[in-house]
Amino acid sequence: MRKLGRNEPCWCGSGKKYKHCHLAFDSKLEGYFYQGAEVPPREIIKNQEQIDKIKESAKINIAVLDYVAEHIHAGVSTAEIDKWVYDVTTKMGGIPAPLNYQGFPKSVCTSINNVVCHGIPSPDEIVKDGDIINVDASTILNGYFSDSSRMFCIGDVSPEKKRLVEVTKQSLQVGLEQVKPWGFLGDMGQAVNDFAMENGYSVVREIGGHGIGLEFHEEPWVSYVSKRGTEMMMVPGMIFTIEPMINMGKADVFTDEKNGWTVYTSDGKPSAQWEIQVLVTEDGYEIISY
Ligand code: MF3
Ligand code: CO
């Protein structure tokens, strides 16, 4: 990495002189790097202007999920949910990020019961009383990305499934408590994992969260089966998702060979997921999308 002069413009694009911007940050990071920490690359550290634009994108993502929350009910097809997402997003000036992403055919992922993630909306799939469903929305606005998902309990859901949904939601809060600068992503990952295990559940290993903002999926990959003190260091200006997939039964999953996307639990038991998009701040975190 080229050393900048104190009076040169900062690499982050803020327009400020390096000495008034990321100089102290870089020195600190360099120290941790020489102690063996995995430190983030500059490309994923956002400046204030980028953060503001990502937040504008997130306003649409939140509005989309609020709309789904108000309208979802037994009898609706997942294709109708997909249309709501497309319509709300585009009316607000955004683009649904999943649409045509690596060949994904729809605007949102809808994952019911034993579907872990990446369920593809279909007119033939009807949401039923007693189902739990994850609706995972992602938005592009002016080239900036947001991503979050929520679970919905449809009608009369069994206490076992309700508890899975609730514990998974609580696990985000447990993880968030570990998000602060100069800690490690593994601190968050282990907290989520311990909490899921204490509640008798398992956490999916193969699929995780990700950096996001300037791209849909950026470094780092975020695991929820990681260990305290490991993985990438969290620093101010980093934005990533917390989106654990928690299974009622075993952790094993498989991907549908026919469509190449949909992930199921191997034992057929239910799985739940909530996703938030989080910014690491100077003294902790800020939730960008939920
Ligand atoms: N929102 C999902 C995520 O958290 C997106 C999966 S890619 C898609 O990364 F194409 F299926 F949308
Ligand atoms: Co995500």
Side-chain angles (χ1 to χ4, degrees):
M1 201 87 46
R2 190 173 78 84
K3 285 260 186 202
L4 284 178
R6 296 172 55 81
N7 291 314
E8 285 188 74
C10 187
W11 53 260
C12 80
S14 64
K16 289 190 221 160
K17 285 187 178 169
Y18 186 43
K19 67 182 176 193
H20 296 311
C21 200
H22 278 95
L23 174 60
F25 170 94
D26 280 355
S27 309
K28 193 162 182 175
L29 212 59
E30 198 176 21
Y32 283 119
F33 175 78
Y34 286 118
Q35 287 171 41
E38 185 189 336
V39 300
R42 283 181 178 172
E43 304 84 77
I44 66 163
I45 311 300
K46 278 79 180 171
N47 66 30
Q48 192 55 51
E49 189 188 338
Q50 293 167 328
I51 291 166
D52 291 343
K53 289 185 167 156
I54 295 164
K55 283 184 182 171
E56 286 300 312
S57 169
K59 276 187 196 163
I60 300 180
N61 218 64
I62 295 162
V64 164
L65 290 175
D66 286 348
Y67 186 95
V68 172
E70 266 175 46
H71 293 84
I72 197 166
H73 60 269
V76 77
S77 75
T78 50
E80 286 169 84
I81 298 172
D82 179 68
K83 187 176 177 339
W84 299 341
V85 171
Y86 181 85
D87 288 348
V88 174
T89 305
T90 52
K91 269 197 195 105
M92 292 180 75
I95 303 166
L99 192 56
N100 302 319
Y101 174 79
Q102 295 187 355
F104 192 81
K106 296 286 177 182
S107 296
V108 67
C109 300
T110 48
S111 305
I112 301 178
N113 299 329
N114 61 319
V115 176
V116 174
C117 65
H118 302 167
I120 302 175
S122 157
D124 304 326
E125 185 180 48
I126 309 297
V127 176
K128 296 186 314 294
D129 186 79
D131 280 349
I132 58 170
I133 175 172
N134 172 276
V135 179
D136 188 344
S138 319
T139 302
I140 315 171
L141 180 68
N142 301 321
Y144 293 86
F145 290 78
S146 53
D147 186 7
S148 52
S149 80
R150 302 183 199 164
M151 294 296 296
F152 301 101
C153 291
I154 308 300
D156 202 9
V157 170
S158 74
E160 291 79 13
K161 280 159 86 172
K162 261 193 199 145
R163 192 175 82 89
L164 175 68
V165 169
E166 273 317 302
V167 166
T168 305
K169 186 172 189 183
Q170 287 163 12
S171 78
L172 299 188
Q173 194 53 46
V174 171
L176 268 178
E177 281 158 22
Q178 302 297 320
V179 177
K180 45 177 119 22
W182 323 111
F184 292 90
L185 277 171
D187 305 349
M188 181 279 295
Q190 179 164 1
V192 169
N193 197 277
D194 288 351
F195 184 72
M197 301 281 276
E198 281 159 23
N199 279 282
Y201 299 141
S202 63
V203 180
V204 173
R205 300 168 292 237
E206 294 85 343
I207 314 148
H210 50 95
I212 176 166
L214 312 181
E215 305 282 348
F216 193 176
H217 296 109
E218 300 172 354
E219 271 195 88
W221 187 72
V222 181
S223 168
Y224 311 99
V225 294
S226 47
K227 291 281 173 229
R228 173 163 287 284
T230 71
E231 307 286 323
M232 193 180 279
M233 179 165 259
M234 296 181 278
V235 305
M238 250 172 96
I239 297 183
F240 59 89
T241 64
I242 304 184
E243 51 173 319
M245 282 146 250
I246 299 188
N247 294 351
M248 193 183 283
K250 298 227 163 65
D252 307 76
V253 299
F254 69 93
T255 304
D256 190 326
E257 279 172 21
K258 289 193 293 291
N259 66 32
W261 279 105
T262 311
V263 178
Y264 297 86
T265 56
S266 294
D267 60 13
K269 292 191 179 164
S271 181
Q273 177 183 31
W274 292 78
E275 174 178 19
I276 52 174
Q277 182 175 348
V278 178
L279 165 70
V280 182
T281 61
E282 292 296 333
D283 52 8
Y285 63 82
E286 183 182 343
I287 299 173
I288 300 281
S289 188
Y290 53 85

